[in-house]
Amino acid sequence: MDDLINLAELTHGSPPVLVIIEQHVLARTCILNILKRELTGFEIVEMATTSGLNSLSGRDIRLIALNIGDKQITDPSIEESLALLAESCPKASVAVLSNRNDDATASAAMQRGVRGFFPTSIPVEVAVAGLRLVLAGGVYRPLPIVGQNGASSLKAISECPDAPELFGANEGNGTTRIVPEKAMVDLTPREQHVLEALQLGLPNKLIAVRLNLSENTVKMHIQRIMRKCSAHNRTEAVIRWSRRPNGHAQPSRVRS
């Protein structure tokens, strides 16, 4: 029996809904199949345009993923779509999928209330981890890197499982030095349990129910996990831990 607690059972109602808005059938179907496999506690709904949201009136929509393709965030059609999502589903987090991978586009998306920015160039497992953290109330965007020509782009955190993560360190003279990430400290068994719940995208309240802890204790464990992973938020902590160099203990399973 799977030891992962179904979100629908915890909320005693219909499963929460994730909406995928993608105009191309093939891409939409691929995303749908991946999320159905990875996020089993949710109902995944696909649609070609934002007009299909009317059919979900009254449902518990947790996240809407909108694919904007090559368009800029400032494109009038995209800004209109984001405004419609905010108006029709005010409690849902919005994630944007984009063929662009520059820092300016990511920043513009965040300024418009987007909780997750996902370039189509990042690996699937990184995108899924990012979605889980957006569902848990965090914010996801890849880290900006600066190339030799000074152009800013985005790099998914630790794309190579066997290589340490690299981050830019400002040298103070206008140049950027690439330095390896500090080694992470092993988590305690309880912190591993909390981390596993974060990987499922559970909010603090449901983590507390799952582990029979107070919400304050859960917050304390999350802060410690972030510190040990040298992470700035929950998303970064989960991704860094999942991509850490070989040799660290694997998170243990929580039995319900």
Side-chain angles (χ1 to χ4, degrees):
M1 178 179 179
D2 195 343
D3 59 355
L4 303 182
I5 296 179
N6 189 300
L7 285 175
E9 295 176 355
L10 289 175
T11 54
H12 302 290
S14 300
V17 177
L18 270 62
V19 180
I20 307 300
I21 303 177
E22 158 63 64
Q23 62 175 327
H24 298 105
V25 176
L26 179 58
R28 190 169 70 240
T29 302
C30 291
I31 295 172
L32 178 71
N33 289 337
I34 291 171
L35 294 187
K36 280 186 174 180
R37 182 181 70 244
E38 299 291 340
L39 302 174
T40 56
F42 295 87
E43 177 183 350
I44 316 295
V45 177
E46 57 168 317
M47 55 186 66
T49 67
T50 55
S51 61
L53 288 172
N54 295 330
S55 63
L56 297 176
S57 177
R59 298 295 302 277
D60 179 16
I61 302 177
R62 298 288 180 85
L63 183 143
I64 302 172
L66 172 67
N67 192 347
I68 65 173
D70 295 316
K71 292 183 178 179
Q72 294 275 11
I73 292 292
T74 54
D75 186 290
S77 65
I78 300 304
E79 292 202 322
E80 182 180 348
S81 293
L82 292 176
L84 175 62
L85 297 182
E87 179 181 355
S88 59
C89 306
K91 295 183 179 180
S93 297
V94 175
V96 164
L97 285 70
S98 174
N99 292 342
R100 299 177 180 272
N101 67 343
D102 59 283
D103 187 44
T105 301
S107 297
M110 297 301 172
Q111 291 170 3
R112 287 160 175 77
V114 172
R115 304 287 295 180
F117 182 78
F118 297 85
T120 53
S121 58
I122 64 175
V124 170
E125 61 270 21
V126 174
V128 171
L131 283 174
R132 283 174 171 156
L133 265 295
V134 172
L135 286 166
V139 175
Y140 174 80
R141 60 176 290 181
L143 297 178
I145 59 173
V146 179
Q148 293 181 349
N149 61 357
S152 177
S153 61
L154 297 175
K155 177 177 177 63
I157 298 175
S158 189
E159 292 184 3
C160 300
D162 297 327
E165 297 177 340
L166 299 178
F167 297 91
N170 194 330
E171 298 283 62
N173 57 359
T175 63
T176 300
R177 178 170 57 92
I178 301 300
V179 296
E181 180 198 16
K182 295 179 181 179
M184 285 179 285
V185 179
D186 284 336
L187 304 182
T188 66
R190 178 59 76 185
E191 289 167 351
Q192 291 179 16
H193 296 163
V194 172
L195 179 68
E196 184 178 72
L198 289 178
Q199 290 173 324
L200 296 176
L202 300 182
N204 290 355
K205 184 175 182 179
L206 294 187
I207 295 175
V209 172
R210 178 185 179 89
L211 299 179
N212 194 26
L213 300 172
S214 70
E215 286 192 58
N216 286 336
T217 301
V218 170
K219 291 178 182 178
M220 178 189 68
H221 284 306
I222 292 174
Q223 289 297 322
R224 289 178 177 174
I225 291 169
M226 289 167 53
R227 184 169 63 251
K228 289 183 177 182
C229 294
S230 299
H232 295 91
N233 54 50
R234 299 152 68 113
T235 305
E236 199 173 331
V238 167
I239 295 176
R240 288 192 183 188
W241 183 262
S242 66
R243 292 295 186 177
R244 67 199 182 284
N246 292 332
H248 290 270
Q250 294 289 338
S252 58
R253 285 288 188 183
V254 180
R255 296 290 175 182
S256 58

